[in-house]
Amino acid sequence: MEARAALGVLSDDVATMVGAGDENFGWKATDERFHEIWFLTLKPLEAQDSSKAVGDVCYVHYFTAVTQDAPVVDSAYSRKLYRRFVSSGDLLERLNNGTLPTPVADPDRAEAVAFNVTRFVAQPLARTNAAGPLANWAEGNGLPVALDIDFQVVDSDTAGLMRLEEDWNLTTKIAQTMVLEDGDEYDSRAGREFQLNLKVGHAN
């Protein structure tokens, strides 16, 4: 299942997250259902663009976007989870200039790793003192110690009824009925929801 595969890739990225602090991690809630995250992660040379692999520190950016499913007129739309990956050589060039890659949610610069997405919440968590419980991460907390993931995709039958861009922004009646309203129709057609707590690499 592609949703599970996408979560596997995300889990691997989070497990090898590295960085010095806030400047190496970013998070944004586009709205209550869709988040963005970007960070540095360790990847072997064979997992990178071979022409741009000079080390193991790379950059990833996860975001969702509503795009057409095919480059043809009248193609249906869907919301996809995208992963932008920057190999170590390109990242090093940026770091030498004093900046990380800009976290622009541009599907043309990323790979779609999951389709028919109706929720991608990635809430970073921090420990504000050694003995205290985890709390929602905020700037100034350094790298998070974990991410709470809430990820939902709808099945292909439901996606087939949501062909318009505004459907995937969940503003139309059909989208609100199929995705946002609880009940028998939601239970039978909504697809799958995954909730994970991912430990960040440095916290393991």
Side-chain angles (χ1 to χ4, degrees):
M1 183 178 186
E2 73 183 23
R4 289 188 184 277
L7 290 174
V9 173
L10 173 60
S11 297
D12 288 344
D13 287 343
V14 170
T16 55
M17 184 190 299
V18 293
D22 289 325
E23 65 270 23
N24 299 139
F25 175 82
W27 170 85
K28 180 170 70 173
T30 307
D31 61 33
E32 64 180 11
R33 297 183 69 89
F34 302 110
H35 290 182
E36 294 182 40
I37 51 173
W38 54 94
F39 52 90
L40 302 181
T41 185
L42 300 177
K43 293 297 168 190
L45 298 181
E46 59 268 23
Q48 304 177 44
D49 182 334
S50 60
S51 67
K52 299 179 180 180
V54 299
D56 58 1
V57 180
C58 302
Y59 169 94
V60 290
H61 176 200
Y62 285 88
F63 61 93
T64 70
V66 179
T67 58
Q68 285 187 291
D69 294 336
V72 296
V73 177
D74 296 330
S75 172
Y77 285 83
S78 68
R79 184 178 290 274
K80 304 166 185 70
L81 176 65
Y82 284 92
R83 176 182 183 259
R84 180 188 176 197
F85 180 78
V86 178
S87 291
S88 55
D90 284 343
L91 177 63
L92 181 61
E93 183 177 341
R94 299 277 189 133
L95 292 176
N96 286 338
N97 290 328
T99 63
L100 285 175
T102 303
V104 176
D106 181 359
D108 291 336
R109 302 167 68 185
E111 176 188 5
V113 294
F115 297 78
N116 304 333
V117 175
T118 52
R119 181 188 295 274
F120 176 67
V121 170
Q123 177 61 56
L125 303 174
R127 195 181 302 280
T128 55
N129 62 73
L134 296 181
N136 286 348
W137 176 90
E139 290 188 9
N141 291 154
L143 288 183
V145 299
L147 293 176
D148 272 344
I149 304 297
D150 188 356
F151 185 52
Q152 185 186 80
V153 295
V154 294
D155 59 33
S156 57
D157 289 341
T158 304
L161 299 173
M162 298 170 57
R163 295 181 54 83
L164 304 178
E165 185 172 7
E166 52 265 36
D167 290 336
W168 292 96
N169 289 324
L170 307 181
T171 57
T172 61
K173 180 61 178 176
I174 189 170
Q176 292 169 358
T177 299
M178 303 303 285
V179 176
L180 299 181
E181 293 182 3
D182 292 333
D184 292 341
E185 187 173 33
Y186 176 93
D187 291 338
S188 65
R189 303 184 72 91
R192 295 293 305 276
E193 185 168 13
F194 304 85
Q195 295 181 328
L196 303 173
N197 179 263
L198 303 180
K199 297 295 187 295
V200 170
H202 72 90
N204 290 333

